[in-house]
Amino acid sequence: MSQNRRSVLGAALALPAALTVGGLAATPAAAAPGAVDAGAWTPLVLEPGITPNAAAAPEVRLVTIAGTVFLQARGLVTCNLTGDARIGRLPDGFALPTGYVRAAVPRNNSQGINACRLEINPAGSVSVFGGNTGNAITWVQFDSVQTIWR
């Protein structure tokens, strides 16, 4: 039976509630084996001029839920992007996407614009789109990135 993205995400969000049905809290060991597999956080490889936040360096990991692989990201960088720019790449050995992966991410609020597009291409390059000379992107946060990977 094939599942669409909405049903997979709905099942993932319902999982904590399902584990506490009847007032009994279940430990992670009580969950179905293999239902959720979260990989280790791995640092992004940044381009020169892109500075990781000391307390929140940018990292990525893959999480598999019910056979669907999701990308999660976290962290913060400072920069001065006056155009679309490559900001880094996926770490060596990290699984590459089968197509382009895009997400909206928070950026410095300038002229009423507070988000930009993050894109990872099939070669593993990580780019940010939306900066220009009149409205430079000075920081980007990755905590909102949770998207289907493949």
Side-chain angles (χ1 to χ4, degrees):
M1 178 170 121
S2 107
Q3 295 180 327
N4 65 30
R5 292 177 183 182
R6 183 171 288 163
S7 68
V8 170
L9 289 172
L13 294 173
L15 185 60
L19 294 176
T20 59
V21 170
L24 300 174
T27 63
V36 176
D37 178 26
W41 288 105
T42 309
L44 282 176
V45 178
L46 301 175
E47 292 290 320
I50 308 299
T51 306
N53 180 284
E59 300 175 302
V60 292
R61 73 176 178 176
L62 296 177
V63 177
T64 304
I65 301 172
T68 300
V69 180
F70 297 87
L71 172 75
Q72 288 185 329
R74 66 182 180 187
L76 178 73
V77 296
T78 57
C79 49
N80 186 26
L81 305 178
T82 56
D84 301 340
R86 177 180 155 159
I87 62 166
R89 65 177 173 78
L90 294 174
D92 293 336
F94 199 84
L96 297 175
T98 56
Y100 286 85
V101 175
R102 297 176 178 103
V105 293
R107 59 160 279 187
N108 56 296
N109 188 356
S110 178
Q111 301 175 11
I113 299 172
N114 59 9
C116 58
R117 185 176 85 209
L118 174 79
E119 181 177 281
I120 303 171
N121 71 20
S125 292
V126 180
S127 299
V128 171
F129 296 85
N132 61 58
T133 55
N135 191 355
I137 297 173
T138 60
W139 60 263
V140 179
Q141 182 192 46
F142 304 108
D143 292 358
S144 64
V145 177
Q146 296 189 44
T147 186
I148 291 182
W149 190 245
R150 56 180 169 193

